[in-house]
Amino acid sequence: QVQLVESGGGLKQFGDSLSLSCAASGFTFRLFAMAWYRQRPGKERELVAYISWTGGITDYADSVKGRFTISRDNAKNTVQLQMDSLKPEDTANYYCAKSYGANSRDMGSWGKGTLVAVSS
């Protein structure tokens, strides 16, 4: 079955960088778009970054544009989120998600999340 395992979360300070990774298994990774979502305290889950099956299309929430970068390694079945210039408002549980198709924006599977906390 589909498994998505996030890693790399932790406690950082304002302005720091952090890299999250998601290891995928149980499906043909290279055929599916992937995404990172987050859920901040007291908020609904929101899209952070999206990447198509080839990596040729990426998209970001306005709040992270220019600071976060999503990438994927189809040989290693991983998707990464490089987070730079972290802010306290980036504090959230970050979830890796698998879409329903190559360029689909609808997510069908989720990881359990990794916590990122940013202090001021």
Side-chain angles (χ1 to χ4, degrees), residues 32-118:
F32 292 86
M34 301 292 293
W36 284 95
Y37 280 71
R38 70 184 180 188
Q39 187 164 17
R40 294 183 279 182
K43 304 286 187 180
E44 293 189 355
R45 189 158 51 187
E46 59 180 351
L47 174 68
V48 175
Y50 163 93
I51 188 165
S52 64
W53 65 303
T54 63
I57 299 172
T58 58
D59 197 13
Y60 298 92
D62 287 343
S63 58
V64 307
K65 279 181 182 175
R67 299 189 299 121
F68 290 11
T69 304
I70 189 171
S71 61
R72 65 188 296 159
D73 186 333
N74 285 346
K76 295 182 179 179
N77 290 1
T78 58
V79 57
Q80 294 79 33
L81 184 68
Q82 176 65 36
M83 303 187 293
D84 298 321
S85 302
L86 284 165
K87 303 176 181 181
E89 51 263 44
D90 295 320
T91 295
N93 272 304
Y94 283 75
Y95 299 90
C96 178
K98 168 190 168 290
S99 75
Y100 283 111
N103 293 308
S104 173
R105 299 279 178 143
D106 295 321
M107 302 297 140
S109 301
W110 303 84
K112 293 184 178 180
T114 186
L115 179 63
V116 174
V118 184

Side-chain angles (χ1 to χ4, degrees), residues 20-40:
L20 303 183
S21 186
C22 171
S25 61
F27 63 103
T28 307
F29 178 79
R30 60 184 173 82
L31 298 181
F32 292 86
M34 301 292 293
W36 284 95
Y37 280 71
R38 70 184 180 188
Q39 187 164 17
R40 294 183 279 182

